[in-house]
Amino acid sequence: GTYKAQSQEYVNDEDDSTAGKGYGVVELNISGGEITACTFQTFELNGTLKDAEYGKENGELANKDFYNKAQKALAACDKYAAQLVEKGDIKEVDAISGATVNYNEFKEAVGEALKQAEE
C-alpha cells in the first residue's frame, strides 16, 4: 500500500529568518512488509514546495551562502528517501550535516506513515 504522512511544522525561533521553517511530507510504498519506494518533500510554512528557488529572496540570489545551504538541505531529502528504501529501517538512515531539520522532519513523517501501515 501507499502511505502518506506529514511532520509537525518546525519553527526556528532562534532568529527571524525563514531558514529551516516548514514541514516535511513522506510517501511510502510498502509491499510484503518492505519499503519499496519513498519520496520526501519539504514545504515552507505557507505550503510552498521547497525547490530550486528555495533560499532565494523574491526570486533573487541575495545571499549565495544561504542559498547553497538551503539547496544542500533540499538535496538531502532525496538521499534520506533513498537510504530508507536501501536500508529498510529508519534507525539506519544517517543524518546529513547541514540538513538536520529535514532529518528530524523525515524521521517524524516516516514514523507516522509506518503507524498508518500497521493499522
Side-chain angles (χ1 to χ4, degrees), residues 55-67:
K56 292 182 179 179
E57 292 177 29
N58 301 319
E60 298 295 316
L61 191 56
N63 181 332
K64 191 173 181 187
D65 285 342
F66 176 73
Y67 177 76

Side-chain angles (χ1 to χ4, degrees), residues 26-74:
V26 159
E27 191 170 300
L28 298 179
N29 290 341
I30 300 176
S31 178
E34 303 262 323
I35 298 168
T36 57
C38 175
T39 59
F40 177 51
Q41 294 179 304
T42 53
F43 296 83
E44 295 182 52
L45 291 172
N46 67 6
T48 303
L49 176 67
K50 293 180 181 179
D51 59 13
E53 294 296 304
Y54 179 58
K56 292 182 179 179
E57 292 177 29
N58 301 319
E60 298 295 316
L61 191 56
N63 181 332
K64 191 173 181 187
D65 285 342
F66 176 73
Y67 177 76
N68 289 341
K69 284 180 186 173
Q71 289 298 307
K72 181 181 177 187
L74 196 60

Side-chain angles (χ1 to χ4, degrees), residues 55-118:
K56 292 182 179 179
E57 292 177 29
N58 301 319
E60 298 295 316
L61 191 56
N63 181 332
K64 191 173 181 187
D65 285 342
F66 176 73
Y67 177 76
N68 289 341
K69 284 180 186 173
Q71 289 298 307
K72 181 181 177 187
L74 196 60
C77 294
D78 291 338
K79 292 176 183 168
Y80 290 147
Q83 276 190 53
L84 182 63
V85 173
E86 180 186 322
K87 298 181 178 186
D89 184 347
I90 188 65
K91 293 182 189 97
E92 292 185 28
V93 175
D94 297 320
I96 296 169
S97 176
T100 310
V101 170
N102 287 1
Y103 179 71
N104 292 333
E105 291 172 350
F106 181 68
K107 283 196 316 187
E108 185 182 334
V110 167
E112 290 300 315
L114 291 174
K115 278 184 201 166
Q116 290 175 27
E118 289 171 5

